[in-house]
Amino acid sequence: MRQYPPLTIALYIIGPILIIASHIGSLLLLTTGLSLGAVVWIIFLYEIRMLATTGIYHRLLTHKSYQVPAPFLWIGCIVAASAGQMGPSWWKAHHMSHHQHADLPLDPHSPYTPLQGIKGFYFSQGGWLLSPRFFPAKLPIDVERDRVLKIIDRLHFVPTLALAAISYYIGGVEYLGAFFLSTTLLFHGVQTVNSLSHLVGEQPFITDDFSRNNWFVAFLTLGEGWHNLHHAFQSSSRHGITIRSGKIAYLPDPTFSFIKMLQFLGIASKLRVPSETELLARAKDKTFQCSQLPIAIEASVDS
Ligand SMILES: [Zn+2]
Ligand SMILES: [Zn+2]
């Protein structure tokens, strides 16, 4: 494990403490009940912070699948940090490590190693955050060089606490409980990408890991569940792509729709998406090639 300054260690550890506090704080709703307004608050906070995690932390900050002006990235990272998803350096460091060592011993959160079965599921669904793997082996240089991102990273808990305070200001203890429940649901929703999307689902593309396309995870995570496509084409801004009967098919991908909206507004540019040729070359189902074979033979006979 990398040697961190004691202050960084102390600041990072606040993250898991806040997630545990969110689980406990959700119980506040047992004393207050749940109004329709609080339900809307839970869903709103879940969706907006999920979008920041998937669209900003993952597809923009980590994989650079599109570009935006720096201030938009900074604001997006603050929203993502308010989800209790830690800061940009920590997040990118772990995710790059996941892709580099997917489902191998150095993967920070694989359901196959170091544990298997139900224990492996628990480990990938959040247990890894309570292990020494919580601290990344190294922090990404590009994020660390950006002073704003570095400050957001070390003070990742400030946006979370600020949102808790805003919730309390809006609706008292009930809305504070709603904030805690939303944060708890969001935490587990994000973790299903690490667990279920490496355990259950289709594998339309050839990869050297166990990544899957899982519709349930895609529903929970605004399109991140199309994880097999993502492992096959990591820099693609669009994840909702599969192969059906040898042909390319597109799947619901709200995060990509968000990115397209940013492009329409002139905020996002240089969206990266694999070509049809690249997609078909990585497809497991090669029936499309077989169907083209007689034509190729006929062509060679004619010549
Ligand atoms: Zn993965
Ligand atoms: Zn990724």
Side-chain angles (χ1 to χ4, degrees):
M1 188 186 87
R2 171 195 154 113
Q3 294 298 312
Y4 288 98
L7 179 61
T8 304
I9 291 175
L11 295 174
Y12 274 2
I13 286 177
I14 294 173
I17 291 172
L18 284 179
I19 291 299
I20 292 170
S22 293
H23 283 71
I24 299 168
S26 302
L27 299 175
L28 286 172
L29 293 172
L30 294 176
T31 65
T32 63
L34 196 58
S35 65
L36 181 60
V39 171
V40 171
W41 189 238
I42 290 170
I43 296 170
F44 173 72
L45 290 184
Y46 180 97
E47 299 294 349
I48 200 83
R49 294 184 294 168
M50 181 64 83
L51 198 54
T53 306
T54 63
I56 305 298
Y57 266 7
H58 189 207
R59 300 193 197 187
L60 177 62
L61 177 83
T62 303
H63 291 294
K64 296 182 165 62
S65 69
Y66 63 102
Q67 293 182 9
V68 299
F72 189 87
L73 170 65
W74 297 334
I75 293 167
C77 285
I78 290 171
V79 179
S82 77
Q85 287 292 316
M86 301 291 294
S89 284
W90 183 96
W91 207 99
K92 178 168 181 172
H94 272 309
H95 196 68
M96 294 304 287
S97 182
H98 169 61
H99 279 292
Q100 194 179 352
H101 308 289
D103 294 318
L104 296 171
L106 290 179
D107 185 338
H109 46 58
S110 171
Y112 299 96
T113 176
L115 303 167
Q116 295 84 39
I118 191 67
K119 288 183 179 175
F121 173 79
Y122 164 77
F123 184 77
S124 61
Q125 184 61 34
W128 67 282
L129 292 167
L130 301 175
S131 78
R133 295 185 184 212
F134 170 75
F135 292 99
K138 65 177 183 191
L139 298 176
I141 295 170
D142 59 334
V143 183
E144 288 290 292
R145 278 190 185 142
D146 186 317
R147 281 188 177 183
V148 177
L149 291 179
K150 188 172 179 179
I151 290 170
I152 297 170
D153 183 75
R154 302 307 193 269
L155 299 180
H156 60 92
F157 53 92
V158 174
T160 316
L161 293 175
L163 194 53
I166 291 169
S167 300
Y168 182 76
Y169 178 77
I170 291 174
V173 176
E174 184 192 4
Y175 274 56
L176 180 61
F179 161 80
F180 282 136
L181 181 58
S182 178
T183 304
T184 303
L185 294 173
L186 180 58
F187 169 78
H188 288 290
V190 171
Q191 297 297 324
T192 58
V193 180
N194 304 335
S195 60
L196 291 178
S197 279
H198 277 259
L199 287 167
V200 185
E202 297 178 338
Q203 293 181 298
F205 298 101
I206 299 166
T207 62
D208 53 5
D209 51 54
F210 297 110
S211 59
R212 321 274 175 146
N213 276 359
N214 183 306
W215 66 266
F216 178 64
V217 176
F219 171 73
L220 293 178
T221 60
L222 301 175
E224 296 283 295
W226 311 126
H227 202 53
N228 179 244
L229 176 284
H230 174 55
H231 271 263
F233 298 96
Q234 295 168 23
S235 61
S236 173
S237 58
R238 186 173 205 162
H239 289 192
I241 309 173
T242 191
I243 302 291
R244 287 194 182 132
S245 304
K247 292 180 179 170
I248 296 165
Y250 292 98
L251 303 162
D253 187 351
T255 300
F256 181 65
S257 300
F258 168 69
I259 296 168
K260 289 290 285 182
M261 186 192 76
L262 293 180
Q263 184 184 39
F264 176 77
L265 296 173
I267 299 170
S269 62
K270 299 184 180 174
L271 276 59
R272 299 167 74 182
V273 179
S275 68
E276 295 204 349
T277 307
E278 290 170 322
L279 289 165
L280 292 173
R282 289 292 291 269
K284 267 189 180 176
D285 178 1
K286 300 294 186 188
T287 54
F288 64 93
Q289 292 180 350
C290 294
S291 66
Q292 290 171 2
L293 199 55
I295 299 170
I297 292 170
E298 281 174 24
S300 67
V301 168
D302 289 341
S303 62

